[in-house]
Amino acid sequence: MFNKKSSRNWAMLMISPFILFFVMFWLVPLLYGVWISLHDWNISNGNNGFVGLKNYVNILTSGTIYNELFMKGLVNTLLFVVISVPPLILISLGLALVIDHLPDKLKPVFRTIYFLSYSVSVTAVSAIFLWLFNGNGGYVNNLFGSQINWLGDQPYAWITILIATVWWTIGFNMLLFVNALDEVDGSLYEAAGLDGAGPFAKFRYITLPEIRNVTIFILVTTVIASFNLYGQTQLITAGGPEQSTTTLIMNTQQTVFNLNQLGVGSAMAILMGLVMMLVTGAQYWMTYKKKELKEVT
């Protein structure tokens, strides 16, 4: 009994820092944000009283400036999620497969090379791609002898942001895939080879099922990261051209600081969180529902 009680107390002591920081930096700000969203609150005058769900109604009512900002930002953000998630998953998996087939001495070198970009700040990344894709004398236009206005026309603005994001963040997903591939039992490939399975069959029937859980985790975290797009669009295109790359976070910031509506901005942030939960929850449900159907059939 003493040992069980001592182990339980020791376990609580070990997890108490996590619980403390979770409450301080996630739960309390979340609840405070919800509370602010229920008030007429602005930066200059502070809290002007409880308004209930009025801020949410203003955001969801067609024709209001807040609805326009929210819907425009949401559509642009969802567009970026759609175009960014597949390459962020597929390219990182491809790089991980390449590294997995390298000699053991070279694996750490290439892991480091591919991961280096992830350690660069968004400011530096944006400066690099502003120089590369500048429409007036940029490196890419000079290299190919073209006159494309990469930052001022669509779809080139989105392509620039997509390339910058993939180059910047691909290393993190790649590293997770590399670790997952390292955990695959090599005897499975040997047995499949003896049965005459080729590389594609091994990848489809051994690699993908074995790294399934890690893939789902990467998919969910990548969707969440893409929803939080801000730095690249703010620094590379400034939301242009014609606000076609303004994201939901950018419009939420504009609501708070330009329109002086902290309550409405908080409501936008809460609604954005709900949309993210719905999208990631639907992904998770569809993924495991599909798995259950396969097992039944």
Side-chain angles (χ1 to χ4, degrees):
M1 181 64 69
F2 174 77
N3 290 335
K4 288 183 179 180
K5 184 177 180 180
S6 177
S7 299
R8 185 166 57 250
N9 292 339
W10 183 252
M12 290 299 298
L13 180 63
M14 290 295 100
I15 66 172
S16 58
F18 168 79
I19 296 175
L20 176 63
F21 287 109
F22 175 81
V23 171
M24 288 176 58
F25 297 107
W26 190 87
L27 185 59
V28 171
L30 174 63
L31 296 177
Y32 190 52
V34 172
W35 186 74
I36 291 176
S37 71
L38 300 175
H39 291 74
D40 178 15
W41 198 309
N42 55 58
I43 298 177
S44 59
N45 298 327
N47 186 3
N48 295 313
F50 181 80
V51 294
L53 299 178
K54 181 180 178 181
N55 291 331
Y56 293 92
V57 173
N58 287 336
I59 294 171
L60 299 176
T61 300
S62 178
T64 65
I65 185 174
Y66 306 122
N67 177 263
E68 182 180 347
L69 287 170
F70 181 80
M71 295 307 299
K72 183 66 175 179
L74 179 61
V75 170
N76 290 340
T77 301
L78 289 174
L79 174 61
F80 180 75
V81 171
V82 170
I83 66 175
S84 66
V85 171
L88 285 170
I89 300 294
L90 296 177
I91 296 176
S92 60
L93 177 58
L95 291 176
L97 290 170
V98 170
I99 292 176
D100 190 57
H101 287 82
L102 290 175
D104 290 339
K105 291 184 179 180
L106 294 179
K107 286 183 179 180
V109 177
F110 281 88
R111 276 203 304 262
T112 303
I113 292 174
Y114 291 142
F115 189 75
L116 275 176
S117 61
Y118 188 72
S119 63
V120 181
S121 70
V122 66
T123 306
V125 171
S126 300
I128 292 170
F129 282 88
L130 274 171
W131 170 71
L132 288 174
F133 289 94
N134 194 309
N136 184 19
Y139 179 79
V140 173
N141 278 348
N142 288 338
L143 180 65
F144 295 103
S146 59
Q147 296 296 324
I148 297 175
N149 187 6
W150 289 96
L151 307 181
D153 292 330
Q154 290 291 12
Y156 304 112
W158 274 125
I159 292 173
T160 303
I161 293 170
L162 177 62
I163 294 173
T165 302
V166 171
W167 180 85
W168 180 34
T169 62
I170 201 72
F172 181 75
N173 287 350
M174 179 271 301
L175 200 60
L176 294 177
F177 274 124
V178 167
N179 293 333
L181 292 172
D182 288 341
E183 297 298 321
V184 179
D185 189 354
S187 62
L188 296 175
Y189 294 115
E190 295 176 3
L194 293 175
D195 290 337
F200 179 76
K202 291 179 181 179
F203 175 74
R204 179 180 178 183
Y205 295 107
I206 297 176
T207 304
L208 286 181
E210 289 294 313
I211 66 172
R212 178 186 179 84
N213 291 332
V214 174
T215 303
I216 295 173
F217 172 79
I218 293 174
L219 177 62
V220 172
T221 55
T222 302
V223 169
I224 293 173
S226 295
F227 257 105
N228 286 285
L229 174 68
Y230 174 75
Q232 304 94 295
T233 51
Q234 180 69 36
L235 297 173
I236 295 177
T237 63
E242 298 179 354
Q243 298 185 339
S244 59
T245 58
T246 54
T247 63
L248 193 48
I249 293 181
M250 292 174 67
N251 284 347
T252 300
Q253 181 194 45
Q254 180 181 345
T255 302
V256 174
F257 293 102
N258 293 356
L259 301 181
N260 197 26
Q261 293 294 326
L262 182 57
V264 179
S266 297
M268 283 186 178
I270 298 300
L271 289 174
M272 177 181 173
L274 292 175
V275 172
M276 292 171 61
M277 290 175 60
L278 289 174
V279 172
T280 54
Q283 276 185 322
Y284 192 82
W285 181 83
M286 290 173 63
T287 301
Y288 280 97
K289 192 68 175 179
K290 185 177 180 180
K291 179 181 178 182
E292 290 176 1
L293 291 174
K294 284 184 176 180
E295 291 175 349
V296 170
T297 54

